[in-house]
């Protein structure tokens, strides 16, 4: 028996003896690897005379092909054996509930869902979403918004301040998203139509207040904009958000440093058995504050109040989420409790659109 046949026999025997894919791989390397036995033989072809090559070439190449074919066959056999073994050992308990497909695990937080709903509603009315930094300057968060020096809102008890900088100015965690409107007016020429959803911070926390909460404010700056436009926009918002065909609204005089006149808005509702239904009933629920942008604020943002008018509104996102989806308590919003999130959370693919229904 020639050396080639001997080598073929021993390599094919090693292949047949390989008990798993790892062992088989070792045989492949030992035979066809760089310093493999068959590779070594193949390299001898180079040094042969043409006659020798004619004599031994076919046998040596035949050996290589035979080894490759045996490796492939053995690998498939081992794969099938492994699968059979799993099929025999792994029993599928068909009574087990269907495991939610990966896409289904996890939920969209109600805050994020409501921000998506607000974005869809106001985009439909031509509003863009503006965003800005959570860490703000005292100037943008208070001064430009017509908060006089010494205004209580500026006090430590309400605002998280950072240590003063060498120039004495102090950064803070924004107490509302209004500084983003200031930044927008300083960087964008009217007409302006933006909503500003985002995190806001106030150092007051109790049963219904958390140090970090979420607000959405809105701003329109245009020539000739007036309260009538504001009332229409808010009415459209309330109908779309609370998914009711009509809802009565009540506007009460109020005061904010950055708006004149200022109003608080209540919407009609019916409270029964802990439930609140909107768009019906004799009851009222305060939903937001709003007003015409104060001329001082327009001037502070480089706009001439005789040329441009504006109106703005603000509401608590956590609050309107609790009202719409009936969460009794604010605290669990931020406690990352999987039971709460899987109960109140939204399926990722249920992206709210006006056409597709916001919360269907
Ligand atoms: C600019 C001009 C005017 C935004 C406004 C309110 C009224 C308001 C509260 C709602 C619930 C804060 O989260 S809350 O406690 N906000 O009532 N916000 S008008 O007015 C602006 C903002 C920016 C340049």
């Amino acid at each position: 028996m020639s050396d080639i046949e001997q080598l073929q026999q021993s390599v094919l025997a090693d292949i047949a003896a390989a008990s798993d894919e790892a062992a088989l791989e070792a045989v492949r390397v030992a035979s066809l690897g760089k310093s493999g036995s068959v590779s070594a033989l193949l390299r001898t072809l180079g040094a042969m005379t043409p006659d020798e090559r004619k004599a031994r070439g076919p046998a040596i190449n035949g050996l290589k092909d035979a080894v490759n074919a045996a490796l492939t066959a053995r690998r498939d056999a081992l794969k099938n054996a492994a699968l059979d073994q799993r099929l025999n050992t792994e029993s599928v308990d068909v009574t087990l509930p269907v495991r939610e497909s990966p896409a289904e695990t996890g939920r969209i937080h109600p805050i994020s869902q409501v921000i998506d709903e607000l974005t869809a509603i106001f985009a439909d009315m031509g509003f863009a979403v503006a965003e800005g930094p959570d860490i703000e300057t005292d100037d943008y968060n208070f001064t430009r918004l017509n908060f006089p020096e010494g205004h209580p809102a500026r006090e430590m008890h309400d605002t998280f301040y950072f240590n003063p900088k060498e120039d004495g100015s102090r950064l803070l965690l924004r107490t509302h998203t209004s500084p983003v409107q200031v930044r927008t007016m300083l960087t964008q020429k009217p007409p302006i139509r933006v909503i500003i959803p985002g995190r806001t911070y106030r150092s007051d926390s109790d049963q219904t207040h958390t140090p970090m909460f979420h607000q959405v404010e809105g701003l329109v700056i245009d020539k000739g904009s007036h309260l009538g436009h504001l009332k229409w926009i808010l009415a459209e918002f309330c109908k779309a958000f609370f998914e009711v065909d009509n809802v009565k609204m009540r506007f009460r005089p109020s005061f904010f440093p950055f708006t004149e006149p200022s109003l608080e808005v209540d919407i009609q509702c019916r409270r029964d058995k802990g439930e609140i239904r909107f768009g019906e009933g004799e009851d009222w629920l305060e939903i937001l504050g709003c007003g015409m942008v104060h001329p001082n604020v327009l001037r502070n943002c480089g706009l001439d109040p005789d040329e441009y008018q504006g109106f703005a509104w603000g509401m608590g996102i956590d609050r309107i989420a609790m009202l719409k989806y009936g969460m009794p308590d604010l605290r669990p919003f931020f406690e990352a409790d999987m039971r709460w999130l899987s109960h109140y959370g939204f399926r990722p693919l249920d992206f709210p659109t006006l056409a597709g229904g916001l919360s269907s």
Side-chain angles (χ1 to χ4, degrees):
M1 185 192 283
S2 73
D3 60 334
I4 298 172
E5 285 156 342
Q6 269 175 356
L7 180 57
Q8 174 157 337
Q9 201 172 44
S10 77
V11 175
L12 294 187
D14 296 347
I15 290 173
S19 57
D20 58 35
E21 291 187 66
L24 189 64
E25 175 57 13
V27 175
R28 185 194 66 74
V29 171
S31 56
L32 294 172
K34 246 199 297 315
S35 50
S37 54
V38 178
S39 308
L41 206 51
L42 284 163
R43 275 196 294 278
T44 62
L45 286 171
M48 286 181 194
T49 64
D51 295 351
E52 285 168 338
R53 196 173 296 123
K54 214 195 265 60
R56 286 173 60 81
I60 293 175
N61 285 313
L63 162 64
K64 182 187 70 176
D65 299 345
V67 168
N68 271 318
L71 283 169
T72 307
R74 185 73 182 133
R75 191 174 300 109
D76 296 350
L78 286 172
K79 271 190 191 318
N80 297 340
L83 182 60
D84 293 349
Q85 200 257 346
R86 278 189 54 206
L87 288 172
N88 302 338
T89 53
E90 280 174 14
S91 61
V92 176
D93 177 349
V94 291
T95 66
L96 280 174
V98 176
R99 226 201 334 268
E100 289 182 7
S101 67
E104 275 298 323
T105 49
R107 286 287 181 276
I108 301 292
H109 192 287
I111 298 279
S112 308
Q113 181 80 7
V114 165
I115 289 175
D116 292 340
E117 292 177 9
L118 292 167
T119 304
I121 291 169
F122 285 103
D124 188 56
M125 292 190 264
F127 283 76
V129 173
E131 293 177 318
D134 290 21
I135 298 175
E136 261 297 1
T137 65
D138 191 273
D139 180 35
Y140 285 171
N141 193 82
F142 289 122
T143 310
R144 306 245 185 174
L145 288 160
N146 202 32
F147 280 83
E149 286 308 321
H151 185 287
R154 288 175 179 258
E155 291 326 305
M156 294 301 281
H157 63 70
D158 241 6
T159 304
F160 292 107
Y161 279 105
F162 291 77
N163 302 333
K165 295 201 289 188
E166 56 286 340
D167 67 0
S169 69
R170 293 186 297 176
L171 292 177
L172 48 82
L173 291 180
R174 66 183 184 191
T175 58
H176 45 190
T177 57
S178 311
V180 180
Q181 279 111 311
V182 170
R183 291 167 178 275
T184 304
M185 284 192 276
L186 290 172
T187 54
Q188 193 187 322
K189 301 246 31 69
I192 293 173
R193 285 182 187 201
V194 290
I195 61 163
I196 303 96
R199 284 184 297 274
T200 49
Y201 309 83
R202 292 186 189 175
S203 60
D204 63 353
S205 53
D206 55 24
Q207 198 40 39
T208 58
H209 291 82
T210 49
M212 181 198 82
F213 59 105
H214 301 76
Q215 268 191 352
V216 59
E217 296 193 0
L219 176 71
V220 169
I221 301 287
D222 206 339
K223 292 184 176 160
S225 56
H226 57 65
L227 268 180
H229 300 128
L230 174 59
K231 293 178 83 170
W232 179 82
I233 287 172
L234 295 178
E236 290 305 304
F237 156 70
C238 287
K239 286 187 282 184
F241 182 74
F242 291 106
E243 300 178 43
V244 291
D245 302 340
N246 57 47
V247 62
K248 285 204 202 77
M249 303 174 77
R250 183 173 67 181
F251 288 77
R252 287 176 291 105
S254 179
F255 173 83
F256 305 106
F258 32 78
T259 49
E260 186 55 45
S262 302
L263 305 116
E264 267 164 12
V265 178
D266 308 325
I267 60 172
Q268 169 202 22
C269 67
R270 177 194 313 286
R271 284 188 179 78
D272 72 358
K273 300 194 277 313
E275 278 265 307
I276 299 182
R277 271 203 297 286
F278 297 97
E280 57 184 271
E282 307 320 309
D283 217 331
W284 293 101
L285 188 110
E286 182 188 328
I287 196 78
L288 61 91
C290 61
M292 298 307 291
V293 178
H294 195 291
N296 290 355
V297 173
L298 293 174
R299 272 190 287 277
N300 292 345
C301 299
L303 294 172
D304 171 358
D306 300 333
E307 186 184 1
Y308 291 106
Q309 289 73 41
F311 52 77
W313 64 88
M315 65 187 103
I317 291 177
D318 323 79
R319 176 175 161 67
I320 60 173
M322 291 166 75
L323 293 173
K324 178 171 181 178
Y325 294 111
M327 297 91 159
D329 180 3
L330 179 62
R331 321 246 89 221
F333 271 67
F334 310 119
E335 288 163 355
D337 179 326
M338 292 307 288
R339 292 160 301 167
W340 186 90
L341 288 168
S342 47
H343 177 73
Y344 285 113
F346 293 80
R347 285 180 155 61
L349 300 174
D350 287 2
F351 194 81
T353 61
L354 280 186
L358 288 176
S359 61
S360 53

